[in-house]
Structures are given as C-alpha cells and as structure tokens.
Amino acid sequence: MAEYRLLVVDDEPDLRTLYELTLVREGYAVDTAACVEAGWEMLTEASYDLLITDLRLPDGTGLDLVRRLEAARRRERVVVITAYGSVEVAVNALKAG
C-alpha cells in the first residue's frame, strides 16, 4: 500500500493528537500544525495527498488555506471540519474550492 501524506491543521492540541494517532494507526503519514501560517509553511515545504483543517483558527480560517491552495494551483484534496457548521459555511467552503 502506498503511503499517503496528510496535514492536519487544528488549534486544539488534544484534537491534533487524536487525529494524528488515529490516522497513523490507519497507515497514513501525518504532519500537524496549529494555525493557518504554520499550515501554509508546511504546505510550501512539502506536498500532501490531503489537508484536514479546522474552520476556525487563531490567525484566520481553514478557508484561507483552501484559497491559498487554489491560487497556487496545488493538487491537495481538502476536508474542512468545524463545530460551528451552517449552510452558509458549507457554501463558502465549496466556493473556495
């Protein structure tokens, strides 16, 4: 099985650890970041198969990362997660790419 690289961006340390432990156990290579800028720095240094990002982050939103990926024509797939979901948030996420 090919190893897939995932980046998880979430400002909650316990959630980052939970995601990382769960995904590593499933066979994925996982990096983590706590904010938009740290996540973007990691994205500029490596490519990933998937970005999992929280919507609300201390220095912006997960959609900021989605827009940067789109602008840079990056190939990463994205999953945006949030505890504060709404139809408007979902529509904005889809529009961002």
Side-chain angles (χ1 to χ4, degrees):
M1 178 173 117
E3 186 172 84
Y4 292 96
R5 293 193 66 189
L6 282 60
L7 174 60
V8 175
V9 181
D10 197 303
D11 59 325
E12 294 291 333
D14 292 341
L15 287 176
R16 277 196 318 273
T17 300
L18 176 63
Y19 296 142
E20 182 176 17
L21 291 172
T22 302
L23 294 166
V24 165
R25 185 175 48 223
E26 293 298 319
Y28 299 104
V30 179
D31 291 327
T32 64
C35 63
V36 170
E37 288 309 314
W40 184 247
E41 184 176 326
M42 296 183 88
L43 284 160
T44 60
E45 295 173 0
S47 63
Y48 294 90
D49 297 292
L50 178 69
L51 164 65
I52 301 171
T53 181
D54 191 8
L55 180 64
R56 292 186 180 184
L57 296 164
D59 59 344
T61 71
L63 296 182
D64 295 332
L65 284 171
V66 174
R67 289 183 189 103
R68 286 182 181 187
L69 287 172
E70 280 289 310
R73 298 182 182 249
R74 296 286 298 257
R75 65 170 187 80
E76 285 85 355
R77 303 269 185 187
V78 180
V79 174
V80 178
I81 56 177
T82 184
Y84 307 97
S86 69
V87 172
E88 180 183 358
V89 168
V91 169
N92 288 338
L94 289 171
K95 286 181 180 178

